[in-house]
Amino acid sequence: MPNEPVRVSRRLALTTAALLPGAVVLAGCDDGPSSSGTPGAANDSKSGQPAEETPSTDPVVVAALSTAAAQVTQLSLRYASMTRKFPALRTQLAAGSKYHAAHLARLKETAGVQAAAGEAPVVPASSQAALAELARQEKAAATAHAAAAAKLAGSPARLLAMIAAAETQLATTLTPKKKAQR
């Protein structure tokens, strides 16, 4: 009698992939547009382009995406404040600022999603402390977005998982490297 292969649920796989702390898993993440479409997306057989999904107005989805939009807005404000206070970090923080702006735009594509306007955060006195705090904030947001993605399905779940993966990757790049001990 042959054994059944072990089947992993999509939610378990999504949660594991988003929360996995290794940057190696996330190094290939790219949330920029691609000319070939998104792997795994449904294609329109006539044009070969990904089929467009209609945005959901499900209250659960809108609430989850609005919460995510508020968190992404806060991260964007942190990046802007740190860039103003520490101009030398502008290059290092540019990618994070760009990604969060793109993520916020994607979140707002769903009807009813609103990002709560937040106050400008207090920036630590040193640039190293600011980077460490920003890395912690990115990790916390990634964890929250991955947990929210696990509770949803379809396009909203993929969007939140993509944002979580990008935040995990950003947190890894912002974390100071430990010096090798001799």
Side-chain angles (χ1 to χ4, degrees), residues 19-64:
L19 295 177
L20 200 62
V24 174
V25 174
L26 301 173
C29 291
D30 179 20
D31 59 11
S34 153
S35 61
S36 63
T38 303
N43 286 330
D44 181 1
S45 60
K46 295 175 188 169
S47 66
Q49 295 296 321
E52 289 190 32
E53 294 182 32
T54 55
S56 170
T57 54
D58 179 5
V60 173
V61 171
V62 171

Side-chain angles (χ1 to χ4, degrees), residues 126-138:
S126 75
S127 63
Q128 291 301 329
L131 288 175
E133 179 187 323
L134 192 56
R136 282 191 300 276
Q137 294 294 324
E138 289 282 5

